[in-house]
Amino acid sequence: MTIDLNLLELAVYCIAWATVGGLPGFYLATSLNRNPRNGARIGVVVGVLVGLAGLLTGLIDSPVAAVNAVLILWLAALLGGTFLGAARIGRGNYLRRATMRQRTADLAYGLLLPTVLIVAVIVIFPMLWNSVLAFRPIRLRDLPDLRLFSLDDLSLDNFGRVLNARGFGDTLLRTFIFTIFGTTLAIILGLIAALIMRDQFRGRGLARGLLLFPYVAPVISVALIWKMMLNAQYGLLNELIVGMGGRRTDFLFAPATAFTVVILFQAWRYFPFAYLFILARIQAIPDDLYEAAKVDGAAPSQRLWHVTLPQLRAVFGTLFLLRFIWTFNKFDDVFLLTGGAAGTQLISIEVYDQLFSSRNVGTAAAVAVVLALILMVVVMIYFRWFMVEEA
Amino acid sequence: MTNETRTAPPPVARPRRTPLTREVIETRIARVIKWFFIALFVLMTAFPFYWMLNLSVRPIGDVLQNPTRLFPTGDQLAHFWDSYASVLVDFRFLTYIGNSLLLSLVTVFFTLLLAVPGAYAVTRLRFRGKSLMSWGILLVYVFPAIVIAIPLFVIYSKLGIRGSLPSMIVLYLVLTLPVALYMLRSYFQTIPAELEEAALIDGCSRISTIWRIVVPLSVPAIASVALYTFMIAWNEILFAILFLTEFSNSWTLPLGLMQLDTQEVPRTYLMAGSVIITVPVIILFFAFERFLRRGLTAGAVKG
């Protein structure tokens, strides 16, 4: 069986094999006391040759065969390296000839190479490729016969479909509101928590641990507890409300309350993050400042307002940025609570829905691109604003 | 900051009675507020977990009849194991525990294997592209997982490796590596470089210096990174939902629990499942809290 590849696919194929060969080449050369950069270069050539040979001979005719070929190549490099090293054959004198600077840098590359590769393959490449997918008409059912890398069928249709879809504007706006309120509330709760945990009191150690529970517990279990407590039939909250003469509400499925609840959930689950940051900063404020303020006759509230809070400005800035980014693309919390129903649809859930409900890979990628773009713009505006203000 | 307290005349000797200055009044009010909030926060954070335990031992009929019963009856407590046994065996939680444990432990192993040398290189060694690396760590740290999910889903489907646990490890590594690198880097910066330099002058190679000097000195940091990595992998659900849902043999604990959340499954089992998944995390957390606090501030368990 022969595989016909277009030029782009061939390029990606060769790059993949170059990486596959370069990695062991680097370490093989290092273990033989030879220049690892040359080793990597030779490895790249060998890798590409192996890949092409496999393709031409038809030995590599499926993804599984390719994966096996990679494993065989790496195993061969490992065994060969071990053998040559043990037999002391082919050793060079790199350590003697290279400069200190060169050796240090090579060592650093050697230590970082696997990490960088994993990140490149699993994060950077998919991020870039996602923006290509967003321009292609791909449905889930097309996947088996899909040309992975192709630039022939690019169009703006996916974006047109996504942006013109009814409710997408609402989803965007809702995501912003969700993020801003969720972030702000979490930081405010975190500030209060940090202030009360600052001074020693009986049981503080235990309380400090308890406060982190929402944050470290698995999201699925806390989401389930909330669902149970907010349930319309037997939820504790409803029983208390009915007991006090109120009306029974299905909090997570009534449009009037569901959105508020998911925001409160965000605040509840992530305030410990803010609390830890703020507490660490508060404890670093020198006592002299408070003493001086006290001498000046500042009452506790004034010390809080004029001493503590100004010292926390930078922390608030960092926290807001981090939490904003993470809340904006947060998927699992709201997905597990409501699944995006009852007016709680967010962009990240929209990505999921496009992929699995509409079964459309292209539009899902397009929504993801929109999400990433908005996030980038927001972060850029934030930095600009922050820098200007700080200057 | 002028203030009335300064101009107020000092109170004449009235023994054992503090004058009601603004300072005193506010301090008293603050104390009341403080205790109110302490109670509120403790209730807010601890009660849901207590309630989870409570509901996990009470049959659903009882929950429906007495929704507000705060303490399970003795009889219910005596049979508390029923729901757990059912979840573990009938709902295949033992399999999921095995999957989750395997995935988490292997992720921890590879994270440490990659992050300790990586963090060392970024802190101690000079090379071109060093600042790029530092920035890169930060960037990868904040990247939205949902954006890379679609292409990965496509590639994994095409390669036919979707649904296999080993293929998930690579995904989990991307979640844990930035956190681990970040935490270890900030820890290595606190270790004085003189120790290593002495070893290097004595003829130790860099690798053995890392192994003999840096690693032993960083045991607390490495322990907390290991714990965090474990927690991240153990709690992870986004990638599990996207990549494993159709492959019930590969379900992790969170995914298995999510799949239990249907009309047909009694809520008691659901809560028992929640307890099973939460307890290891809480135990680990309390056992190593001292190590962990530091790491948490370094932004671990990103979410």
Side-chain angles (χ1 to χ4, degrees):
Chain A
M1 182 190 140
T2 50
I3 295 183
D4 70 312
L5 295 172
N6 63 27
L7 214 58
L8 190 65
E9 279 169 331
L10 195 65
V12 173
Y13 184 80
C14 286
I15 292 174
W17 273 102
T19 322
V20 163
L23 186 72
F26 189 96
Y27 294 107
L28 196 60
T30 310
S31 76
L32 292 176
N33 196 10
R34 289 178 175 278
N35 188 341
R37 298 182 200 196
N38 290 336
R41 283 179 195 122
I42 297 170
V44 165
V45 175
V46 171
V48 174
L49 287 180
V50 169
L52 289 179
L55 205 63
L56 291 176
T57 56
L59 284 174
I60 300 177
D61 56 356
S62 67
V64 179
V67 171
N68 286 335
V70 172
L71 292 178
I72 291 170
L73 183 70
W74 282 358
L75 209 63
L78 186 68
L79 291 177
T82 320
F83 171 75
L84 291 177
R88 305 195 72 79
I89 299 170
R91 292 184 65 83
N93 52 0
Y94 168 71
L95 286 181
R96 198 141 32 87
R97 276 178 40 195
T99 59
M100 179 73 180
R101 202 196 178 103
Q102 219 174 351
R103 272 185 286 146
T104 313
D106 282 341
L107 177 68
Y109 295 137
L111 296 178
L112 283 165
L113 208 53
T115 308
V116 172
L117 274 185
I118 290 180
V119 169
V121 172
I122 305 288
V123 181
I124 296 170
F125 165 69
M127 258 190 181
L128 298 175
W129 192 41
N130 184 66
S131 17
V132 178
L133 284 180
F135 290 98
R136 297 180 59 190
I138 306 171
R139 301 196 152 260
L140 214 47
R141 60 162 187 270
D142 304 334
L143 276 191
D145 308 314
L146 176 73
R147 277 227 104 102
L148 267 190
F149 303 96
S150 157
L151 297 173
D152 300 339
D153 47 4
L154 300 184
S155 77
L156 281 169
D157 291 357
N158 291 330
F159 286 98
R161 192 172 302 168
V162 164
L163 295 176
N164 292 326
R166 195 144 31 96
F168 190 72
D170 294 341
T171 302
L172 271 184
L173 184 67
R174 191 178 307 115
T175 309
F176 267 104
I177 297 173
F178 170 77
T179 309
I180 289 170
F181 277 91
T183 303
T184 315
L185 273 177
I187 294 177
I188 291 173
L189 280 181
L191 174 65
I192 298 173
L195 287 174
I196 58 175
M197 291 294 158
R198 177 175 49 178
D199 307 316
Q200 188 67 47
F201 60 84
R202 274 184 62 152
R204 183 176 72 158
L206 184 68
R208 276 186 167 185
L210 285 178
L211 244 55
L212 301 177
F213 268 25
Y215 188 52
V216 295
V219 58
I220 174 74
S221 67
V222 288
L224 286 177
I225 307 167
W226 272 59
K227 277 174 108 165
M228 295 293 280
M229 295 181 71
L230 298 172
N231 187 286
Q233 287 164 48
Y234 47 81
L236 191 61
L237 192 66
N238 265 311
E239 289 310 314
L240 294 178
I241 289 173
V242 169
M244 289 188 296
R247 213 157 44 84
R248 210 171 266 280
T249 322
D250 201 348
F251 288 100
L252 279 167
F253 294 94
T257 52
F259 189 52
T260 315
V261 171
V262 295
I263 289 177
L264 290 177
F265 182 81
Q266 278 293 305
W268 176 81
R269 185 157 147 74
Y270 295 105
F271 87 82
F273 181 81
Y275 147 75
L276 281 168
F277 263 73
I278 296 171
L279 186 65
R281 184 67 193 88
I282 280 184
Q283 285 172 334
I285 298 176
D287 283 339
D288 310 5
L289 285 179
Y290 290 108
E291 292 304 326
K294 225 170 177 173
V295 170
D296 282 347
S301 64
Q302 290 167 316
R303 295 202 291 269
L304 172 67
W305 191 254
H306 293 288
V307 179
T308 313
L309 289 184
Q311 292 280 327
L312 296 178
R313 269 185 52 128
V315 177
F316 286 144
T318 316
L319 272 176
F320 192 81
L321 182 66
L322 281 178
R323 289 255 41 100
F324 190 97
I325 295 174
W326 286 334
T327 313
F328 196 80
N329 59 57
K330 198 75 207 152
F331 167 79
D332 33 15
D333 302 59
V334 179
F335 180 76
L336 294 175
L337 279 176
T338 66
T344 57
Q345 181 74 327
L346 303 174
I347 308 185
S348 55
I349 303 179
E350 186 70 35
V351 176
Y352 176 90
D353 283 349
Q354 289 293 340
L355 186 61
F356 289 111
S357 306
S358 310
R359 307 188 68 74
N360 192 330
V361 178
T363 49
V367 177
V369 166
V370 172
L371 188 154
L373 279 181
I374 293 176
L375 209 50
M376 265 160 61
V377 170
V378 168
V379 170
M380 254 149 51
I381 291 174
Y382 179 91
F383 268 110
R384 190 153 197 133
W385 174 76
F386 207 64
M387 300 294 178
V388 167
E389 207 194 23
E390 293 297 296
Chain B
M1 233 185 272
T2 52
N3 196 292
E4 63 275 68
T5 45
R6 211 186 315 178
T7 47
V12 207
R14 274 265 187 91
R16 288 180 196 189
R17 213 171 144 184
T18 18
L20 281 180
T21 58
R22 181 168 170 183
E23 171 84 27
V24 174
I25 296 172
E26 280 195 7
T27 309
R28 280 183 194 169
I29 295 174
R31 192 179 305 149
V32 175
I33 295 177
K34 189 177 124 181
W35 280 105
F36 168 76
F37 272 117
I38 289 172
L40 184 74
F41 269 95
V42 167
L43 191 73
M44 187 171 96
T45 49
F47 186 77
F49 292 91
Y50 168 72
W51 200 240
M52 175 172 82
L53 275 175
N54 177 325
L55 292 183
S56 77
V57 299
R58 292 168 50 204
I60 189 66
D62 181 51
V63 177
L64 281 169
Q65 265 171 15
N66 310 299
T68 52
R69 188 196 289 267
L70 262 185
F71 302 101
T73 62
D75 188 44
Q76 286 164 355
L77 279 179
H79 290 100
F80 89 97
W81 185 245
D82 293 358
S83 53
Y84 287 86
S86 181
V87 164
L88 285 173
V89 181
D90 303 345
F91 290 97
R92 304 184 59 209
F93 259 50
L94 285 175
T95 313
Y96 309 151
I97 291 177
N99 287 344
S100 267
L101 215 52
L102 181 78
L103 209 49
S104 309
L105 291 178
V106 176
T107 305
V108 170
F109 174 77
F110 279 109
T111 304
L112 288 179
L113 191 70
L114 295 173
V116 172
Y120 180 84
V122 178
T123 9
R124 286 289 198 270
L125 304 177
R126 279 184 47 167
F127 58 97
R128 246 174 62 197
K130 184 172 172 169
S131 63
L132 182 75
M133 276 301 302
S134 304
W135 269 102
I137 295 173
L138 222 67
L139 274 184
V140 175
Y141 186 41
V142 296
F143 81 97
I146 191 89
V147 175
I148 61 167
I150 308 283
L152 287 174
F153 180 86
V154 172
I155 297 175
Y156 270 44
S157 304
K158 275 300 261 193
L159 287 179
I161 53 175
R162 197 157 62 81
S164 77
L165 286 178
S167 73
M168 293 299 286
I169 292 165
V170 189
L171 299 184
Y172 282 16
L173 276 179
V174 209
L175 298 178
T176 57
L177 271 176
V179 180
L181 281 169
Y182 190 75
M183 283 170 70
L184 284 172
R185 191 183 60 167
S186 52
Y187 190 84
F188 287 165
Q189 280 164 349
T190 64
I191 303 179
E194 285 81 18
L195 285 169
E196 294 156 44
E197 279 156 17
L200 284 172
I201 289 167
D202 286 348
C204 249
S205 75
R206 277 280 183 181
I207 302 289
S208 65
T209 309
I210 296 179
W211 186 243
R212 299 219 181 112
I213 312 272
V214 178
V215 169
L217 279 175
S218 326
V219 165
I222 292 176
S224 75
V225 168
L227 280 164
Y228 271 115
T229 311
F230 182 86
M231 280 191 201
I232 293 175
W234 182 264
N235 293 355
E236 206 286 332
I237 196 165
L238 168 62
F239 283 144
I241 292 176
L242 289 173
F243 288 82
L244 297 178
T245 301
E246 302 131 271
F247 306 89
S248 64
N249 282 328
S250 302
W251 283 357
T252 60
L253 210 38
L255 187 58
L257 187 55
M258 189 190 123
Q259 301 292 338
L260 270 193
D261 185 15
T262 58
Q263 290 297 323
E264 297 88 57
V265 179
R267 303 288 98 177
T268 312
Y269 294 172
L270 203 62
M271 288 293 101
S274 297
V275 173
I276 291 172
I277 185 173
T278 311
V279 160
V281 176
I282 302 275
I283 288 178
L284 273 181
F285 182 73
F286 262 104
F288 297 98
E289 206 220 330
R290 218 173 283 273
F291 288 142
L292 296 183
R293 184 171 295 280
R294 205 191 138 91
L296 271 179
T297 339
V301 192
K302 134 187 177 182

